Amino acid sequence: QVQLVESGGGSVRPGESLTLSCTVRGSSLDYAAGLGWFRQVPGEEREGIACLKTGESSPYYKDSVKGRFRISRDNAKNMMYLHLTSLEPEDTAVYICAGTRFPPTSAQGLCVIPRWQGIDLGRGTQVTVSS
């Protein structure tokens, strides 16, 4: 059974940076045809912010994080990362990593129209941006 475990969250000030990590356990990272990061604020829907589809060269980013966040993967370490820069108070949320063995239509498709039944999710890590 695949488990995804996030780490690296914390409390930062506006303008600062963080790197979130996601460790894949129970399988190699190669199991995933799609990988992504979602975030959720209490009372709101989970939103996809950065996604990859294996074989596609360009990741998808939600407009609100484009140019500030970067998703990456390291197959040798079984790790996925989300590099967050220029953080804003509006970025405060629980950040959740996701993987799926079922090929998404595209990286954008994984983020925007996720098929939750086939997606493995971590428990999340809290990021708080406050002055």
Side-chain angles (χ1 to χ4, degrees), residues 4-11 18-23 36-42 46 49 69 80-84 87 91-98 121-129:
L4 305 177
V5 182
E6 304 91 341
S7 61
S11 295
L18 275 176
T19 294
L20 306 182
S21 301
C22 176
T23 303
W37 287 92
F38 294 77
R39 68 184 182 187
Q40 189 164 24
V41 174
R46 191 182 299 146
I49 56 172
F69 292 6
M80 177 175 63
Y81 304 96
L82 185 66
H83 309 274
L84 301 82
L87 281 160
D91 296 317
T92 295
V94 174
Y95 285 71
I96 304 160
C97 69
L121 296 172
R123 291 187 175 184
T125 185
Q126 176 71 45
V127 172
T128 302
V129 185

Side-chain angles (χ1 to χ4, degrees), residues 50-90:
C51 290
L52 293 168
K53 178 183 176 182
T54 300
E56 280 189 3
S57 57
S58 298
Y60 164 82
Y61 295 99
K62 186 177 175 65
D63 284 348
S64 58
V65 308
K66 200 174 293 184
R68 300 189 299 121
F69 292 6
R70 181 172 61 88
I71 186 172
S72 65
R73 63 189 292 173
D74 186 333
N75 285 2
K77 294 183 178 179
N78 256 18
M79 300 280 289
M80 177 175 63
Y81 304 96
L82 185 66
H83 309 274
L84 301 82
T85 64
S86 302
L87 281 160
E88 303 168 353
E90 293 74 22

